Amino acid sequence: QVQLVESGGGLVQAGGSLRLSCAASGRTFSNYAMGWFRQAPGKEREFVAAINRSGGATYYVDSVKGRFTISRDNAKNTVYLQMNSLKPEDTAIHYCAASPLGAGSRSTTDYNYWGQGTQVTVSS
């Protein structure tokens, strides 16, 4: 089992930045690819970013490319999402997730473990 806890969400003005963190425990963190997803009110959960086990490959949804950066520190069992140039449409609950297959994926079905989420609100 893997337990994931997100932090770093909050309220920020449009154009501002936030860094989300996801701390993992329970199993060897480096064996898992990690992903970030988000869900806005009334909408389906959406893929945001993913990173492979070593951190050498990253993937993003088109709407955040150039603004968001996913990274990981395997020594600290933590994955991060640096969010710059935030827009009101980024407002959502953000979830981190772990995939035992070790490769990044856009699909929720490839992730076995999920955190409880952290709220990101971007004001105009």
Side-chain angles (χ1 to χ4, degrees):
Q1 298 293 310
V2 175
Q3 292 78 47
L4 304 172
V5 180
E6 302 96 336
S7 62
L11 175 65
V12 65
Q13 67 177 26
S17 298
L18 286 172
R19 189 175 78 156
L20 306 183
S21 298
C22 177
S25 63
R27 294 291 178 91
T28 303
F29 179 69
S30 61
N31 287 342
Y32 296 86
M34 299 294 296
W36 286 97
F37 295 78
R38 65 189 183 187
Q39 188 165 22
K43 300 187 183 300
E44 296 183 351
R45 191 167 297 186
E46 175 191 33
F47 168 78
V48 178
I51 188 166
N52 73 344
R53 288 175 287 184
S54 70
T58 58
Y59 312 90
Y60 301 92
V61 67
D62 286 347
S63 61
V64 309
K65 287 181 179 177
R67 300 190 297 123
F68 291 10
T69 303
I70 187 171
S71 62
R72 67 191 297 161
D73 186 340
N74 286 347
K76 296 182 178 180
N77 289 354
T78 302
V79 64
Y80 305 95
L81 185 68
Q82 179 66 46
M83 304 184 293
N84 298 327
S85 302
L86 282 162
K87 304 175 180 180
E89 51 263 47
D90 296 319
T91 295
I93 303 174
H94 286 66
Y95 301 89
C96 67
S99 171
L101 298 179
S105 172
R106 301 173 68 93
S107 175
T108 60
T109 63
D110 292 323
Y111 294 85
N112 285 18
Y113 307 103
W114 294 82
Q116 290 298 116
T118 186
Q119 177 70 47
V120 172
T121 303
V122 184
S123 62
S124 60

